[in-house]
Amino acid sequence: MKSNYLFVIDLDGTLLPSTKEIPFFTKRYLSKINQQGCKVVLASGRPAHNIRKFYDQLRLDTPIIALNGLHINHPDDDSIDSRVYFPPKKIKEIVNLVSKHFEVNNIINETDKYIYITNNKAYLDPKFWLTNMKVVYGTLEENLKNPVMTFLMELKNRDFDQKKLKELFIGTGCDVRCWIDDYQGYIEIYEEHSNKARAIKIVADEMKISMEQVFAFGDDLNDIEMLRDIANAYAMKNAPEHIKKIAHHLTKYDNEHEGVKKEIKRIRKKLK
């Protein structure tokens, strides 16, 4: 099999099982193929420094795609550090727009090091917190002195009208993800073209790998563009049904049974 293949892998719900640790044999296998020339890139909603632990465990030498594609960073190459920011003015415009139609309980913004939260009494599931992040409470006026990289809102009514909400963003240059299950009521606002799919294309171009040689794996809302726009994209067996319908392919095994490793082994065998 030729080298020059790129395997882009989401973390939570995809590479990581419920233990939040890479299984031993998966770790060994991905490290091996990366050293042999089939490059591995981690792509997650986590900030870059929170991905670094897994990057080092796999002994990678590739860029990291962080914050759902808003940050492309190479730990060992300072020349590769691309960031997409939300200006404070844009955030305030969106907050005002949404607040006219929905009651907002909390506003959350992030950089690669800080989480800014407006409501310190709001319930936030512990799984939301990312390690090594400094949390700052305060109003938008107090917090938004500089551009930030992510923008989330918690709506008071968790059973809100998603269609009505999405219609508000038409013509704004932004789109919105409406999270469900553990994060029901949370919405994530992002620039229309800033997502994992766009970031993967940038990384593949930088690495001189054609998109036909890119394979991607994901399982959730923040993987939709990647699963939809990349021909060799796989939704995990454990992904929700509406995510599976978007993807071109499905893995045979889930994240609790090393689904990524087993699928890559099958793919590489077919490519020989």
Side-chain angles (χ1 to χ4, degrees), residues 34 39 43 50 55 74 98 109 113 128 132 159 185 242 255 260:
N34 185 74
K39 294 303 180 181
N50 193 257
Y55 181 93
H74 196 304
V98 173
N109 300 114
K113 296 179 181 178
F128 176 84
N132 304 319
D159 189 25
H242 65 283
N255 65 319
V260 169

Side-chain angles (χ1 to χ4, degrees), residues 53-105:
K53 165 188 171 181
F54 306 106
Y55 181 93
D56 290 342
Q57 287 177 358
L58 296 174
R59 299 167 63 192
L60 300 181
D61 53 3
T62 52
I64 287 172
I65 296 174
L67 297 176
N68 294 325
L70 298 174
H71 187 194
I72 302 170
N73 166 259
H74 196 304
D76 301 314
D77 186 350
D78 292 338
S79 68
I80 301 176
D81 194 342
S82 170
R83 303 171 186 236
V84 178
Y85 285 103
F86 259 109
K89 181 180 178 182
K90 186 71 172 181
I91 289 175
K92 291 172 184 176
E93 289 174 355
I94 295 294
V95 170
N96 289 336
L97 176 65
V98 173
S99 298
K100 290 177 182 178
H101 303 272
F102 299 89
E103 190 171 353
V104 177
N105 193 44

Side-chain angles (χ1 to χ4, degrees), residues 56 66 123 138 144 149 157 181 262 266:
D56 290 342
Y123 172 73
L144 290 184
M149 298 173 75
N157 178 11
D181 298 330
K262 292 173 181 176
R266 188 189 67 80

